[in-house]
Amino acid sequence: MHRVFVYGSLKRAQPNYSYMIDGNNGKAEFLATAVTVQKYPLVIATKYNIPFLLNLPGQGNRVHGEIYKVDEKMLAYLDWFEKVPTMYQRTVVELEINEWAGRTGKEEKLSPGSITEAFVYSTTTYQLDWPSLPTYESYDSNGDHGLKFVLREDRK
């Protein structure tokens, strides 16, 4: 099992969350809400208003998201979904736990403020102007930024 940190459209109540809970893609269990230890630029870009985490540590904000425990099948699906390695890369990020929700048992329970690691998908390539775009601490497709996320099936 692997831990994955999601910060954008795959979070609960976001447009692509259904892929996280679709058993055909593998298993994913919500463990916790967390925030990155380091700052990163979380921007909304392209004509489809996609959230991107730029791999520029020390810039932007500490980014809020969710940690999931996923099996090999889900990790492979997420790699495909995130177009690794052409669009995104999967790297390890340090996270500070906000609230732990995972079931106790074999999985250790982490208290608020604890530091852990998880995989994160960040961009491998981006437009030169993206680092100058507004950055966000937390992504919400219906946020006051007014940049409505466009689902894959609606992209032309």
Side-chain angles (χ1 to χ4, degrees):
M1 298 297 274
H2 306 276
R3 288 183 181 173
V4 175
F5 177 70
V6 297
Y7 55 83
S9 68
L10 291 169
K11 293 190 310 183
R12 294 173 297 170
Q14 296 305 309
N16 287 326
Y17 175 65
S18 61
Y19 297 113
M20 291 295 293
I21 58 171
D22 184 341
N24 294 317
N25 301 331
K27 292 182 182 177
E29 178 188 339
F30 174 72
L31 293 179
T33 57
V35 61
T36 58
V37 170
Q38 289 197 53
K39 293 179 178 180
Y40 291 92
L42 172 58
V43 301
I44 301 172
T46 79
K47 63 184 178 182
Y48 305 118
N49 297 319
I50 299 170
F52 290 95
L53 188 74
L54 307 184
N55 192 10
L56 297 170
Q59 299 180 34
N61 303 292
R62 294 181 69 197
V63 176
H64 294 260
E66 301 170 349
I67 302 172
Y68 288 83
K69 180 171 63 173
V70 302
D71 65 5
E72 289 289 337
K73 184 176 180 182
M74 179 60 81
L75 189 65
Y77 176 81
L78 291 172
D79 282 353
W80 170 84
F81 183 82
E82 300 289 11
K83 298 184 173 104
V84 171
T86 56
M87 187 171 186
Y88 287 92
Q89 61 189 346
R90 177 168 40 95
T91 58
V92 175
V93 66
E94 280 193 319
L95 302 164
E96 180 181 336
I97 299 297
N98 286 334
E99 185 176 350
W100 188 263
R103 289 178 277 159
T104 55
K106 288 184 180 179
E107 184 71 37
E108 63 181 313
K109 180 177 180 179
L110 298 175
S111 56
S114 298
I115 305 297
T116 191
E117 292 183 336
F119 287 127
V120 67
Y121 292 94
S122 60
T123 56
T124 54
T125 58
Y126 47 85
Q127 301 296 316
L128 290 175
D129 65 328
W130 287 14
S132 65
L133 292 173
T135 60
Y136 301 90
E137 290 182 6
S138 183
Y139 175 78
D140 183 343
S141 63
N142 296 310
D144 59 11
H145 49 69
L147 302 170
K148 186 75 173 157
F149 182 84
V150 179
L151 294 168
R152 282 186 178 188
E153 55 266 24
D154 297 334
R155 299 175 192 169
K156 296 188 178 8

